Amino acid sequence: MASDVQDLISEECGIAVNHVASYELHVSDAYLSMACYYGEDVEAPLFASFFEDQAEVKREHAKQFVRYLKRRGGKICLPVIQRPNIDNWGTGVQALEIALELENKLTKLLEDLKSVASADSATDLLRFMGKYLDKQKRNTNYLECQIMYHKTQEEKQAHEEDVYKKPAEASGKKS
């Protein structure tokens, strides 16, 4: 009986877990929207499949947090997070930047959950959520690298267009 009491999650930790699960679903929906937006484009960025994969991953993470909460006797009450009012995700780099913003906020929520769990001495919760925080950091690093890479590619392309455009303009002036 005493072990059952220890296994229960505190109300404060339960609220934090609900927020993380809800935000995981929010990010999943944003990724799904991005994947669909670019999926219909013949010249879709190569990372469009990344968006689709992440939609599934984030949804699965949300389910795992909800299952954890249920196993620990917590109340499942996912707060509603308003969907971003974006119908046009813009260039691929813009979508990656928005994805990075979403991931950074999720990282913050996970770090807040870690703080609450630490303050509550919820070692089981700390073990459970540790792998998600590690994955989250890898994901944000990946997005940062992708943004830098694609911005560099865009700059190179713009520079090459300028290089080829200037001789054509110069030859047009001589005519």
Side-chain angles (χ1 to χ4, degrees), residues 12-36:
E12 190 175 7
C13 285
I15 290 169
V17 170
N18 272 299
H19 277 92
V20 168
S22 183
Y23 201 76
E24 289 271 14
L25 290 171
H26 172 71
V27 174
S28 173
D29 288 347
Y31 276 131
L32 182 59
S33 177
M34 289 176 192
C36 291

Short mmCIF file of all heavy atoms in Angstrom, two decimals, residues 12-36:
data_model
loop_
_atom_site.label_atom_id
_atom_site.label_comp_id
_atom_site.label_asym_id
_atom_site.label_seq_id
_atom_site.Cartn_x
_atom_site.Cartn_y
_atom_site.Cartn_z
N GLU A 12 1.27 19.07 -8.95
CA GLU A 12 2.12 20.01 -9.69
C GLU A 12 2.84 19.32 -10.85
O GLU A 12 2.88 19.84 -11.96
CB GLU A 12 3.14 20.65 -8.73
CG GLU A 12 3.89 21.80 -9.34
CD GLU A 12 4.81 22.50 -8.35
OE1 GLU A 12 4.98 22.02 -7.21
OE2 GLU A 12 5.38 23.52 -8.75
N CYS A 13 3.37 18.13 -10.60
CA CYS A 13 4.01 17.37 -11.68
C CYS A 13 2.99 16.97 -12.74
O CYS A 13 3.28 17.02 -13.94
CB CYS A 13 4.71 16.13 -11.13
SG CYS A 13 6.25 16.47 -10.25
N GLY A 14 1.79 16.58 -12.30
CA GLY A 14 0.74 16.20 -13.24
C GLY A 14 0.36 17.35 -14.17
O GLY A 14 0.17 17.14 -15.37
N ILE A 15 0.27 18.54 -13.62
CA ILE A 15 -0.05 19.72 -14.45
C ILE A 15 1.05 19.94 -15.48
O ILE A 15 0.79 20.19 -16.66
CB ILE A 15 -0.26 20.96 -13.56
CG1 ILE A 15 -1.56 20.82 -12.76
CG2 ILE A 15 -0.28 22.25 -14.38
CD1 ILE A 15 -1.73 21.85 -11.65
N ALA A 16 2.31 19.84 -15.03
CA ALA A 16 3.44 20.04 -15.95
C ALA A 16 3.46 18.98 -17.05
O ALA A 16 3.72 19.29 -18.21
CB ALA A 16 4.75 20.05 -15.16
N VAL A 17 3.18 17.72 -16.69
CA VAL A 17 3.14 16.64 -17.69
C VAL A 17 2.01 16.90 -18.69
O VAL A 17 2.19 16.72 -19.90
CB VAL A 17 2.98 15.26 -17.02
CG1 VAL A 17 2.69 14.17 -18.06
CG2 VAL A 17 4.24 14.91 -16.22
N ASN A 18 0.85 17.34 -18.22
CA ASN A 18 -0.25 17.68 -19.12
C ASN A 18 0.15 18.77 -20.10
O ASN A 18 -0.19 18.70 -21.28
CB ASN A 18 -1.48 18.12 -18.32
CG ASN A 18 -2.36 16.97 -17.91
OD1 ASN A 18 -2.88 16.26 -18.75
ND2 ASN A 18 -2.53 16.79 -16.61
N HIS A 19 0.86 19.78 -19.62
CA HIS A 19 1.30 20.86 -20.51
C HIS A 19 2.27 20.34 -21.58
O HIS A 19 2.16 20.72 -22.75
CB HIS A 19 1.95 22.00 -19.71
CG HIS A 19 0.96 22.95 -19.15
ND1 HIS A 19 0.43 22.80 -17.88
CD2 HIS A 19 0.37 24.05 -19.68
CE1 HIS A 19 -0.44 23.78 -17.66
NE2 HIS A 19 -0.50 24.55 -18.74
N VAL A 20 3.20 19.49 -21.17
CA VAL A 20 4.15 18.92 -22.14
C VAL A 20 3.41 18.08 -23.17
O VAL A 20 3.64 18.23 -24.38
CB VAL A 20 5.25 18.10 -21.43
CG1 VAL A 20 6.05 17.28 -22.43
CG2 VAL A 20 6.17 19.01 -20.62
N ALA A 21 2.50 17.21 -22.73
CA ALA A 21 1.76 16.36 -23.66
C ALA A 21 0.95 17.20 -24.63
O ALA A 21 0.94 16.93 -25.84
CB ALA A 21 0.85 15.40 -22.89
N SER A 22 0.30 18.22 -24.13
CA SER A 22 -0.51 19.09 -24.98
C SER A 22 0.36 19.81 -26.00
O SER A 22 0.00 19.92 -27.18
CB SER A 22 -1.27 20.10 -24.12
OG SER A 22 -2.10 20.89 -24.92
N TYR A 23 1.51 20.29 -25.56
CA TYR A 23 2.38 21.02 -26.49
C TYR A 23 3.01 20.07 -27.51
O TYR A 23 3.21 20.45 -28.66
CB TYR A 23 3.47 21.80 -25.73
CG TYR A 23 4.02 22.90 -26.60
CD1 TYR A 23 3.29 24.07 -26.81
CD2 TYR A 23 5.23 22.77 -27.24
CE1 TYR A 23 3.76 25.07 -27.64
CE2 TYR A 23 5.72 23.77 -28.06
CZ TYR A 23 4.99 24.91 -28.26
OH TYR A 23 5.46 25.90 -29.11
N GLU A 24 3.28 18.83 -27.11
CA GLU A 24 3.77 17.83 -28.08
C GLU A 24 2.73 17.65 -29.20
O GLU A 24 3.07 17.58 -30.38
CB GLU A 24 4.04 16.49 -27.40
CG GLU A 24 5.25 16.46 -26.50
CD GLU A 24 6.55 16.09 -27.18
OE1 GLU A 24 6.62 16.08 -28.42
OE2 GLU A 24 7.51 15.81 -26.44
N LEU A 25 1.45 17.60 -28.83
CA LEU A 25 0.39 17.48 -29.83
C LEU A 25 0.31 18.72 -30.71
O LEU A 25 0.10 18.64 -31.92
CB LEU A 25 -0.96 17.22 -29.16
CG LEU A 25 -1.13 15.84 -28.52
CD1 LEU A 25 -2.40 15.79 -27.70
CD2 LEU A 25 -1.10 14.75 -29.59
N HIS A 26 0.49 19.87 -30.10
CA HIS A 26 0.49 21.14 -30.82
C HIS A 26 1.61 21.16 -31.87
O HIS A 26 1.38 21.51 -33.04
CB HIS A 26 0.66 22.29 -29.82
CG HIS A 26 0.86 23.63 -30.43
ND1 HIS A 26 -0.14 24.31 -31.09
CD2 HIS A 26 1.96 24.42 -30.48
CE1 HIS A 26 0.34 25.47 -31.52
NE2 HIS A 26 1.60 25.56 -31.16
N VAL A 27 2.80 20.75 -31.46
CA VAL A 27 3.93 20.73 -32.39
C VAL A 27 3.68 19.69 -33.48
O VAL A 27 3.98 19.92 -34.65
CB VAL A 27 5.26 20.45 -31.63
CG1 VAL A 27 6.42 20.28 -32.59
CG2 VAL A 27 5.55 21.58 -30.64
N SER A 28 3.10 18.56 -33.10
CA SER A 28 2.77 17.53 -34.08
C SER A 28 1.83 18.08 -35.16
O SER A 28 2.03 17.85 -36.35
CB SER A 28 2.11 16.33 -33.38
OG SER A 28 1.64 15.40 -34.32
N ASP A 29 0.82 18.81 -34.73
CA ASP A 29 -0.13 19.40 -35.68
C ASP A 29 0.56 20.40 -36.61
O ASP A 29 0.28 20.45 -37.81
CB ASP A 29 -1.28 20.08 -34.95
CG ASP A 29 -2.23 19.09 -34.31
OD1 ASP A 29 -2.15 17.89 -34.63
OD2 ASP A 29 -3.05 19.52 -33.47
N ALA A 30 1.48 21.20 -36.05
CA ALA A 30 2.20 22.17 -36.88
C ALA A 30 3.06 21.44 -37.91
O ALA A 30 3.08 21.81 -39.09
CB ALA A 30 3.07 23.07 -36.00
N TYR A 31 3.75 20.39 -37.49
CA TYR A 31 4.57 19.60 -38.42
C TYR A 31 3.71 18.95 -39.50
O TYR A 31 4.09 18.92 -40.67
CB TYR A 31 5.38 18.53 -37.69
CG TYR A 31 6.68 19.02 -37.11
CD1 TYR A 31 7.01 18.74 -35.78
CD2 TYR A 31 7.60 19.73 -37.87
CE1 TYR A 31 8.22 19.17 -35.25
CE2 TYR A 31 8.80 20.15 -37.34
CZ TYR A 31 9.11 19.86 -36.03
OH TYR A 31 10.31 20.28 -35.50
N LEU A 32 2.56 18.45 -39.11
CA LEU A 32 1.67 17.83 -40.09
C LEU A 32 1.21 18.87 -41.11
O LEU A 32 1.18 18.60 -42.32
CB LEU A 32 0.46 17.20 -39.39
CG LEU A 32 -0.53 16.47 -40.29
CD1 LEU A 32 0.16 15.33 -41.05
CD2 LEU A 32 -1.68 15.94 -39.46
N SER A 33 0.89 20.05 -40.65
CA SER A 33 0.49 21.13 -41.55
C SER A 33 1.62 21.49 -42.50
O SER A 33 1.40 21.68 -43.70
CB SER A 33 0.07 22.36 -40.72
OG SER A 33 -0.25 23.43 -41.56
N MET A 34 2.85 21.57 -41.98
CA MET A 34 4.00 21.86 -42.83
C MET A 34 4.21 20.76 -43.87
O MET A 34 4.45 21.04 -45.04
CB MET A 34 5.27 21.99 -41.99
CG MET A 34 5.34 23.21 -41.13
SD MET A 34 6.85 23.13 -40.10
CE MET A 34 6.52 24.46 -38.95
N ALA A 35 4.12 19.52 -43.43
CA ALA A 35 4.32 18.38 -44.33
C ALA A 35 3.30 18.40 -45.45
O ALA A 35 3.64 18.19 -46.62
CB ALA A 35 4.24 17.07 -43.56
N CYS A 36 2.04 18.68 -45.12
CA CYS A 36 0.99 18.74 -46.14
C CYS A 36 1.19 19.93 -47.07
O CYS A 36 0.99 19.82 -48.27
CB CYS A 36 -0.39 18.80 -45.48
SG CYS A 36 -0.84 17.28 -44.66
#
